[in-house]
Amino acid sequence: MIWLITAAAAVVILALLVFASNVIVYIPNDRVGIVERLWGAPSLTEGLIALKGEVGFQPQVLRGGLHYFFPFQYRVHKEDLVTIPQGEIGYVFARDGKDLADGQALGRSVDGGIVDVAAFLRGGGQKGPQRTILREGTYALNLAQFAIITLNRVHGLLLSREEADTIAKMGAVLNERRGFSPVVIVSGQARGGTEDTTNDLLGVVTVHDGPVLPPDEIVAPRVGQDPTNVATFHNNFQNIDAFLRAGGNRGRQHQVLVEGTYYINRLFATVDFIPKTVVPVGSVGVVVSYIGKTGADRSGDGYSHGELVDNDCRGVWKEPLLPGKYAFNTYAGKIQLVPTTNFILKWTPEVTNLHKFDENLTEVSLITKDAFEPLLPLSVVVHIDYRKAPLVVQRFGDIKRLVDQTLDPMVSAYFKNIGQTKTLIQLIQDRAAIQMLAGEQMKERFAAYNLELQEVLIGTPHGSAGNASGARIDTILNQLRDRQVAIEQVATYELQEQSAMKERSLREARATTDIQAELTNSSIQIAIKKNVGEAAVVEANKRAEVIGINADAERRRLTAEGDGRASAIAAVGKAEASAIQAKSQALTGEGARLQLINTLGAQFAEAIRDGQIAIVPKIALGGDAGGQGIGSLIQLASSLLAERADAGLADDTPRVAAEGSSAPTA
């Protein structure tokens, strides 16, 4: 029994000795063993890793399984495998290696990387933070040589409190720079930089390692962008050693990052996000570059306000950017937008356009010829040729400065001069002429500044509120308004008078139309009576001719019968012939005219009786209506009666004379 107990105790003691002596060491497959030699070799004189088997940490690591050692000579530190999750980055801190050079921020990469510690140290690996980063995956690393910093933990054998503080500070810097995740830029969103945003952005890279920039440079030039040159192509700052071999400098870089995912060591470079530059339709972008070589002047002869240079040179670029979206690094230059469509400048404080070029413009204060002081609102339409936009920017810097420092004084002075030659009334009434003249005369002045004046628009002069001069101006304007109202009233009265006259003429025409049938009938009756009278005259003349012929024949017959009887008969015939001749003369001479008057008078009386025509008209008509009205009838009757009376008097006069001259017989 005692023997059994002794044997068991011996086994336990042996097991304890085997465990304590590390003769047999088991390493799980999800862990690694870091070997530390305790004795049996000289101690290290420098560094931490024993490359030649010295006492200290050995470069090789033990993977899963059983491992055998000489008793009590080695200590094995079991550590977890280093796992970098999907979408994260791990950073490496080397405890052993060569010192960093002056100005060097990160240890250089070596062939073999950090998996083989011996190759790392023999290849010139440096201590401190490394350029090498770990992507997604699991790594069996010697954590005595390397401390691996991830988002959630630090993998490594910490040897001292000071080292722990150094690793913690390094982790804090990486957290601040969002360094544990790659830089992801998508359309309208960016992550992995100093802040998240929802704008359409690009990434501006600032490098913290490498040679410094020359004194006159503020942005590092582009390098290593040729994919065919493997030695220098740094693939958007992801290959640090290639970037430095290409001659890259530390500082803010001209090259920018656009949409994509970039695994960038944030201890080497940080990324800031800025909006892309949009040149809208109706504008061009004039580039003022802060970097580049000194270029030749392309402004042309006769332009002495500055130089225009070729693109990619330092200065104002000769060729502007046309409408579009550009990944332009605004730290390396500035894009000055210049409108190429017509834009309006308004000299009035109440209205400001969206472009804000005229926000400092106010109405032009004038002094007129008659000593009034009105305020004149103006609007000027301006156009800039897109090919001349760089000249405008080179000369004035921007459009707002052009407006405030040049156009405002020039336009104000011009209209002040115009105001001194015009009275207030002329200034108001001659506005169109002044506006046209101003447009013609000011085009040359605008052309001198590479501008195209399209139109000048003048508002109504007015006085300032609360000013005595302004009250007088209002009085003048009120008088002009009253005068215009009076003129319009006179014109209204004249039109009303013309309307009344037209209305009277219309009513007369309507009255004439109403009795037109009666007027027509009476005119026809008059024509009929006139024709009947003329027929009677013709018949009387023919009858007289017949009687004369018969008398002559009868005279010849009687002559043949005998002288006595002939004489008697001749005497009788002669008497009858005389009577007939007298009647004929009465019908053909003045007597015929009296006969016609008698006949027409009788017929006129019958026509009035038969037509029931009123001698006094019911409606008084003008003499111009128709030309054959009642007035004509009355005039005809009056003339006929007058002639008849004259004829009667003429007939009576010889009769009285004959009667007065005959002596009474005894």
Side-chain angles (χ1 to χ4, degrees):
M1 189 67 171
I2 296 174
W3 178 80
L4 291 174
I5 295 172
T6 302
V11 171
V12 171
I13 292 172
L14 180 61
L16 292 175
L17 289 174
V18 170
F19 179 79
S21 63
N22 290 321
V23 174
I24 301 173
V25 177
Y26 174 73
I27 306 297
N29 290 326
D30 60 348
R31 308 190 79 183
V32 295
I34 300 170
V35 179
E36 180 184 4
R37 187 167 186 167
L38 301 178
W39 56 274
S43 298
L44 286 171
T45 57
E46 61 180 10
L48 179 65
I49 303 301
L51 293 178
K52 299 178 181 180
E54 299 96 337
V55 173
F57 290 103
Q58 303 301 304
Q60 296 80 15
V61 296
L62 303 179
R63 302 300 301 272
L66 292 174
H67 301 271
Y68 304 96
F69 296 94
F70 190 83
F72 300 105
Q73 190 175 14
Y74 296 94
R75 180 187 300 157
V76 179
H77 303 271
K78 299 176 183 180
E79 296 291 334
D80 295 332
L81 296 173
V82 177
T83 300
I84 307 299
Q86 177 75 26
E88 291 188 13
I89 298 175
Y91 292 83
V92 180
F93 182 87
R95 293 191 174 97
D96 195 6
K98 295 183 178 180
D99 294 333
L100 296 174
D102 292 340
Q104 186 178 356
L106 301 177
R108 69 176 65 93
S109 301
V110 297
D111 294 338
I114 62 174
V115 176
D116 188 346
V117 175
F120 174 84
L121 294 175
R122 292 189 181 102
Q126 296 174 301
K127 64 180 65 176
Q130 301 296 300
R131 297 172 184 170
T132 302
I133 58 174
L134 301 180
R135 298 277 301 275
E136 299 90 342
T138 300
Y139 302 87
L141 301 176
N142 189 332
L143 298 182
Q145 165 63 14
F146 300 109
I148 309 302
I149 306 170
T150 64
L151 178 63
N152 297 319
R153 60 174 292 190
V154 176
H155 300 266
L157 294 176
L158 302 182
L159 302 181
S160 65
R161 175 60 61 183
E162 290 78 6
E163 186 183 55
D165 292 340
T166 300
I167 299 298
K169 291 179 180 179
M170 183 175 169
V173 171
L174 290 170
N175 269 320
E176 181 182 356
R177 298 177 180 179
R178 298 179 180 266
F180 295 107
S181 60
V183 177
V184 179
I185 302 177
V186 295
S187 180
Q189 187 176 3
R191 297 189 303 273
T194 56
E195 60 181 1
D196 292 340
T197 181
T198 56
N199 293 324
D200 195 3
L201 303 177
L202 55 87
V204 178
V205 178
T206 301
V207 172
H208 302 281
D209 199 0
V212 297
L213 285 170
D216 296 334
E217 299 292 339
I218 61 172
V219 175
R222 298 170 180 262
V223 295
Q225 293 185 283
D226 184 6
T228 61
N229 190 343
V230 179
T232 60
F233 180 62
H234 56 82
N235 192 16
N236 293 298
F237 310 98
Q238 296 180 99
N239 188 332
I240 299 175
D241 296 281
F243 172 81
L244 296 174
R245 284 194 296 270
N249 297 98
R250 73 174 63 200
R252 188 171 282 119
Q253 304 295 306
H254 187 207
Q255 181 182 349
V256 297
L257 303 178
V258 295
E259 286 78 2
T261 300
Y262 306 92
Y263 289 87
I264 297 176
N265 187 332
R266 251 33 145 267
L267 296 175
F268 170 73
T270 54
V271 181
D272 297 322
F273 297 99
I274 61 174
K276 292 179 180 177
T277 300
V278 177
V279 178
V281 175
S283 300
V284 294
V286 178
V287 178
V288 182
S289 179
Y290 304 148
I291 64 172
K293 62 183 180 180
T294 302
D297 183 14
R298 303 297 184 187
S299 60
D301 297 336
Y303 186 82
S304 59
H305 302 284
E307 294 183 351
L308 298 181
V309 298
D310 293 327
N311 293 10
D312 297 331
C313 294
R314 189 192 303 266
V316 180
W317 289 2
K318 181 178 182 295
E319 300 295 333
L321 301 181
L322 299 180
K325 184 180 290 186
Y326 298 88
F328 185 82
N329 189 342
T330 54
Y331 293 101
K334 178 178 68 173
I335 294 181
Q336 185 65 50
L337 295 180
V338 177
T340 55
T341 56
N342 293 349
F343 61 93
I344 301 177
L345 302 176
K346 294 187 177 182
W347 273 259
T348 174
E350 290 80 10
V351 180
T352 300
N353 290 295
L354 294 178
H355 50 63
K356 301 294 185 181
F357 297 153
D358 53 2
E359 63 179 352
N360 296 330
L361 301 182
T362 58
E363 296 159 323
V364 180
S365 177
L366 306 180
I367 300 178
T368 63
K369 187 176 181 180
D370 49 358
F372 284 98
E373 299 180 9
L375 300 177
L376 183 65
L378 298 173
S379 295
V380 175
V381 182
V382 184
H383 174 257
I384 300 176
D385 188 340
Y386 80 96
R387 292 165 295 188
K388 297 181 180 179
L391 296 173
V392 175
V393 172
Q394 174 65 44
R395 187 169 184 175
F396 300 101
D398 55 51
I399 305 301
K400 193 172 186 307
R401 190 177 303 168
L402 162 67
V403 173
D404 292 341
Q405 299 181 3
T406 302
L407 297 186
D408 184 22
M410 181 183 69
V411 173
S412 298
Y414 177 84
F415 282 99
K416 285 179 182 292
N417 294 338
I418 292 292
Q420 291 177 352
T421 63
K422 302 287 184 180
T423 65
L424 179 62
I425 302 300
Q426 292 174 340
L427 195 64
I428 296 174
Q429 295 179 342
D430 299 342
R431 186 179 65 88
I434 296 173
Q435 183 172 281
M436 182 178 298
L437 180 62
E440 295 175 355
Q441 292 182 347
M442 294 179 64
K443 281 185 178 180
E444 295 183 0
R445 302 187 183 186
F446 274 70
Y449 300 108
N450 305 112
L451 305 174
E452 296 178 8
L453 177 63
Q454 300 295 315
E455 193 170 2
V456 178
L457 305 174
I458 302 176
T460 302
H462 62 87
S464 58
N467 192 322
S469 177
R472 289 192 293 270
I473 292 174
D474 292 339
T475 301
I476 292 294
L477 295 178
N478 290 333
Q479 291 176 354
L480 289 177
R481 283 190 286 269
D482 294 340
R483 184 185 306 171
Q484 187 62 36
V485 170
I487 293 173
E488 294 298 330
Q489 287 178 344
V490 170
T492 301
Y493 296 153
E494 291 178 352
L495 292 176
Q496 289 176 349
E497 182 180 1
Q498 295 177 6
S499 175
M501 294 177 63
K502 291 292 184 181
E503 183 179 4
R504 185 179 65 183
S505 299
L506 176 62
R507 291 183 178 181
E508 291 178 355
R510 286 179 177 176
T512 303
T513 302
D514 292 341
I515 64 171
Q516 188 64 43
E518 298 179 4
L519 292 175
T520 302
N521 291 333
S522 62
S523 298
I524 293 173
Q525 293 295 329
I526 292 172
I528 291 172
K529 298 298 184 181
K530 182 178 180 181
N531 292 336
V532 170
E534 291 177 352
V537 171
V538 172
E539 183 181 0
N541 290 333
K542 294 296 183 179
R543 189 180 299 163
E545 291 178 1
V546 171
I547 293 172
I549 293 172
N550 292 335
D552 187 49
E554 184 66 20
R555 181 176 57 79
R556 289 190 184 100
R557 187 182 63 82
L558 292 176
T559 300
E561 290 180 357
D563 291 336
R565 188 179 177 184
S567 297
I569 294 172
V572 173
K574 190 175 182 178
E576 290 180 357
S578 297
I580 292 172
Q581 185 177 5
K583 186 181 293 186
S584 176
Q585 290 177 354
L587 292 174
T588 57
E590 184 67 24
R593 188 166 181 270
L594 294 176
Q595 181 65 30
L596 176 60
I597 292 172
N598 292 333
T599 303
L600 291 178
Q603 292 177 353
F604 178 72
E606 292 176 1
I608 293 174
R609 184 189 65 242
D610 296 340
Q612 296 179 354
I613 299 174
I615 297 177
V616 179
K618 296 179 181 180
I619 299 175
L621 300 178
D624 296 333
Q628 298 295 332
I630 298 300
S632 299
L633 295 176
I634 295 174
Q635 286 181 355
L636 178 59
S638 300
S639 61
L640 292 175
L641 292 175
E643 290 179 359
R644 183 175 182 182
D646 292 339
L649 291 175
D651 292 341
D652 291 341
T653 302
R655 184 182 301 115
V656 172
E659 291 177 354
S661 60
S662 60
T665 58

